[in-house]
Amino acid sequence: MGTVTLINNETGQSFDFDLIDCTRGPKAVNFSKLFENAGIFSYDPGYGSTAGCESTISYIDGKKGELLYRGIPIEQLVEKYKFTDICQFLISDSLPKNDEESKKFDLELRHRSFLHEKLKRVFDVFPDNAHSMATLSAIVSVLATLYANHKDMDDEDDYQTMARRIIAKTPTMVAFCYRNSVGAPFIEPDVSKSYVENFFYMLRGYPHSRWKYGLDGEQEITPLEIEALDKILTLHADHGQNASTTTVRNVASTGVHPYAAISSGINALWGPAHGGANEKVLAQLHEIGDVKNVDKFIERAKDKNDSFRLMGFGHRVYKSYDPRAKTLKKLKDELDKKGIRMDAHLSEIAQKVEEVALSDSYFLERGLYPNVDFYSGIILTALKIPRELFTPIFVMGRMPGWCAQLIEHDKNPYARITRPRQVYLGK
Ligand code: CMC
């Protein structure tokens, strides 16, 4: 095992620390005994050089622009598997071995998709136009009161039930959050429909003035739409120790109910620097308004005296193209050809933003490329999903990842409460 020597030039003392071999990527220095042995601690705001846990769930190679779920590239998973298979894969580390196993899991989710009657009544307290992310995190907190037994999980079955339950109910909660915010009645899940079809059905179901219906009140949900949203969810399923996942782990480290930790993760995801960027990207494309304005906005993004940032660009880990963005861009073009029409005007502006930014030294030198949120909004709009649901859709995708990370954290006998130190500069 390699070591790293730290020399304190003030005292001349030196200290050796073990290197940890990760199965992929650079090595890590084990600084867990830094304070105990050397009497000093590390300072790393934003944790850019710090690992807070060991994990086997997802791996990102930021230079290559690669993302793996449990060792398998996302491009392969998105082509071969349904989102519900990916959920099973992430929470249990095992892909369905055959169609029968895949269907069994899918069926369990369908049956668990209903909400407790009391939970439905909680929606009444939220005002019209409440943002669905705020409502969703509150509803997930309330879910902890209904399934108090998940607080103490003993065996694998307990963990699986906790995860399957919340994964199954998330589309229902998201659809209800939206319908409640616009005063439309809830549409109950239909067990004859698959995970994604059910979400569309509960979201668009009659009556709601936003969508067009046939005489029988039915609104068409096409297989292509289902396939597209399914892929989008898979692309969001896990992503290392990002801000919301770290929040879930940090909150879980205090020993709270798992759904309380997930509710905190939902709040962390809402911010525009994280999952909330997908909603902001679309607003920004509208603000740019025309390809002829792109140069002006790119100049603003580069200006350090202007708070304007290009939304959907840049990432802490990726210093090349985010593979999720690459797959989404391809999906956008494919869907457009197959008949799910993208907004041509917005697509043209987005394309131009990408072209101008990626030929500009400011973006190239800093490794700022389109991230997952850059193209997802254009596709979600073409799928007739309201803009305020873009980040809740991210929650739907990320739920199996959060559950898998929470389970991993909970089962780790060495996991401790998260308790960083501070560089105190006060009186
Ligand atoms: N537009 C203009 N400049 C940028 C941008 C941007 N979108 N992102 C980073 N920079 C600049 C930044 O000003 C800094 O420049 P300098 O070195 O001259 O001070 C440099 O690039 C490094 O930026 P940073 O803020 O130190 O990078 P970070 O790792 O702390 O932040 C980020 C990462 C994603 C928060 C940031 O790139 C950003 O705000 N992007 C826009 C919001 C966005 O799209 N978020 C979604 C992220 S992907 C979804 C998810 O998984 O969360």
Side-chain angles (χ1 to χ4, degrees), residues 45-46 48 236 239 242-244 268-269 271-278 280-281 284 298 300-304 307-319 322 324 362-363 365-374 394 398:
H236 286 82
H239 208 232
N242 56 82
S244 56
L269 188 77
H274 194 10
N278 55 11
K280 297 283 177 205
V281 169
Q284 198 165 85
I298 294 283
R300 283 189 63 191
K302 288 155 57 177
D303 182 356
K304 296 291 168 205
S307 61
F308 179 87
R309 273 199 170 196
L310 209 51
M311 299 312 288
F313 260 75
H315 198 274
R316 173 66 58 78
V317 185
Y318 295 117
K319 297 302 164 199
D322 178 337
R324 302 168 300 173
Y362 173 95
F363 290 89
E365 279 160 16
R366 289 169 178 77
L368 303 171
Y369 288 80
N371 60 46
V372 68
D373 295 319
F374 192 64
F394 199 145
R398 186 55 55 85

Side-chain angles (χ1 to χ4, degrees), residues 177-325:
C177 284
Y178 176 73
R179 292 186 75 90
N180 193 62
S181 76
V182 295
F186 298 149
I187 307 289
E188 292 294 332
D190 175 348
V191 288
S192 75
K193 293 182 167 50
S194 71
Y195 194 82
V196 173
E197 184 182 5
N198 217 348
F199 171 67
F200 276 125
Y201 167 74
M202 290 184 284
L203 179 68
R204 296 176 180 173
Y206 186 81
H208 188 311
S209 56
R210 191 185 175 101
W211 291 284
K212 290 200 182 93
Y213 302 92
L215 269 181
D216 54 2
E218 282 295 309
Q219 212 255 19
E220 198 191 1
I221 303 163
T222 69
L224 198 55
E225 286 179 317
I226 295 168
E227 192 190 320
L229 185 57
D230 198 280
K231 288 189 164 149
I232 290 175
L233 296 180
T234 292
L235 290 172
H236 286 82
D238 198 55
H239 208 232
Q241 303 310 311
N242 56 82
S244 56
T245 300
T246 299
T247 300
V248 170
R249 280 192 183 250
N250 286 347
V251 177
S253 81
T254 67
V256 290
H257 191 290
Y259 296 163
I262 290 174
S263 166
S264 309
I266 293 172
N267 284 321
L269 188 77
W270 190 8
H274 194 10
N278 55 11
E279 197 182 322
K280 297 283 177 205
V281 169
L282 211 77
Q284 198 165 85
L285 292 174
H286 280 289
E287 191 189 350
I288 296 173
D290 195 291
V291 280
K292 70 175 190 296
N293 301 328
V294 168
D295 288 325
K296 192 173 75 195
F297 278 91
I298 294 283
E299 286 310 311
R300 283 189 63 191
K302 288 155 57 177
D303 182 356
K304 296 291 168 205
N305 297 316
D306 190 332
S307 61
F308 179 87
R309 273 199 170 196
L310 209 51
M311 299 312 288
F313 260 75
H315 198 274
R316 173 66 58 78
V317 185
Y318 295 117
K319 297 302 164 199
S320 68
Y321 225 109
D322 178 337
R324 302 168 300 173

